[in-house]
Amino acid sequence: MSPDFVCPDETCRFCPRLVSFLEKNRKLYPDFFNAPVPSLGNLNAELLIVGLAPGLKGANRTGRPFTGDFAGDLLYGRLHDFGFSEGIYQACPDDGVRLLNARLTNAVRCVPPENKPTGDEVRCCGRYLAQEIKAMPNLKVILVLGGLAHNAVLSVLGQKKTAFKFAHNALHRLDWNGREIRLLDTYHTSRYNVNTGKLTPEMFTDVFKTLSKALKA
Ligand code: URA
């Protein structure tokens, strides 16, 4: 499968609002990446992590998911602590961080205004998420950051949302085309969630404990 179909490039024109937001940001911030942010990590991984969308001055600037965003600090920290990455995260794409048995992506690949993609944009970008999941032959667990990513994954896997309610640290068992896939939920590592204590570092550590057990099961 062509890697372009898994990760769109700047020629993707499906979401007019996101295309024009990128164009505007190319003028405002010519040094930023300002294109659909490609996934990080190998398609042979057993773990796929799905976030929301690139942050304007984070992943949209650096061109690597969660890199330079507040949300990346906790995430890359735990990935390292639990053996899913090597190299020291320094919030820039040339810090040499390499994911191990993990791949990191977003439900929506382009930066949305105010960090809020519309339902149509999530559905439209789902074509890439669907292809990505199909292209991961060893996939066992999908870790979703937040309710939007949870619903996006259920949609592309053709699962009923009412059967799998989002709950922090909940591990769902999905049957997808005769394949068993686990879906693990966590609150997003956003600045708001962390600063309000909705998601504490300890709670996020517990999610990674669940994740490690699920991958070993
Ligand atoms: N938040 C996300 O959900 N994804 C990113 O890539 C950056 C911030």
Side-chain angles (χ1 to χ4, degrees):
M1 183 178 304
S2 151
D4 293 352
F5 205 65
V6 172
C7 295
D9 63 17
E10 67 284 350
T11 59
C12 184
R13 287 273 180 279
F14 287 119
C15 303
R17 192 181 73 117
L18 301 186
V19 169
S20 66
F21 193 52
L22 281 176
E23 275 161 11
K24 179 177 152 199
N25 285 314
R26 281 189 196 111
K27 289 189 191 118
L28 277 175
Y29 308 108
D31 297 337
F32 284 15
F33 184 73
N34 289 321
V37 173
S39 309
L40 179 67
N42 202 293
L43 284 168
N44 286 322
E46 292 177 311
L47 168 64
L48 178 65
I49 303 160
V50 183
L52 168 60
L56 175 61
K57 295 187 177 173
N60 175 65
R61 173 176 57 85
T62 63
R64 196 176 73 178
F66 285 89
T67 300
D69 282 291
F70 179 94
D73 293 350
L74 197 50
L75 178 62
Y76 278 104
R78 287 302 173 278
L79 286 169
H80 188 263
D81 298 344
F82 280 79
F84 292 107
S85 72
E86 61 182 18
I88 303 299
Y89 172 70
Q90 286 172 329
C92 59
D94 52 3
D95 56 13
V97 165
R98 209 166 65 87
L99 297 189
L100 305 171
N101 199 23
R103 187 167 166 96
L104 178 56
T105 194
N106 281 304
V108 174
R109 311 299 171 95
C110 292
V111 57
E114 288 161 21
N115 281 334
K116 285 196 184 80
T118 64
D120 276 352
E121 288 159 358
V122 177
R123 269 188 295 282
C124 197
C125 212
R127 76 191 68 213
Y128 298 113
L129 187 58
Q131 292 302 330
E132 188 141 30
I133 292 171
K134 275 193 202 138
M136 294 186 72
N138 304 316
L139 183 62
K140 279 190 174 171
V141 180
I142 304 178
L143 171 65
V144 285
L145 276 76
L148 186 144
H150 169 97
N151 286 335
V153 168
L154 289 178
S155 280
V156 303
L157 295 182
Q159 308 281 325
K160 272 200 184 142
K161 294 203 182 106
T162 47
F164 305 100
K165 287 250 164 70
F166 177 88
H168 180 72
N169 209 2
L171 185 63
H172 310 274
R173 191 187 292 259
L174 311 181
D175 174 20
W176 179 59
N177 295 338
R179 236 171 108 181
E180 185 182 296
I181 300 213
R182 302 289 189 93
L183 178 69
L184 175 60
D185 295 338
T186 173
Y187 293 136
H188 195 283
T189 53
S190 67
R191 189 190 297 272
Y192 179 83
N193 285 348
V194 172
N195 287 349
T196 57
K198 181 169 182 175
L199 178 69
T200 63
E202 295 73 26
M203 286 165 72
F204 203 51
T205 299
D206 288 343
V207 168
F208 270 76
K209 286 183 185 162
T210 307
L211 173 60
S212 295
K213 274 194 211 138
L215 281 170
K216 283 187 193 120

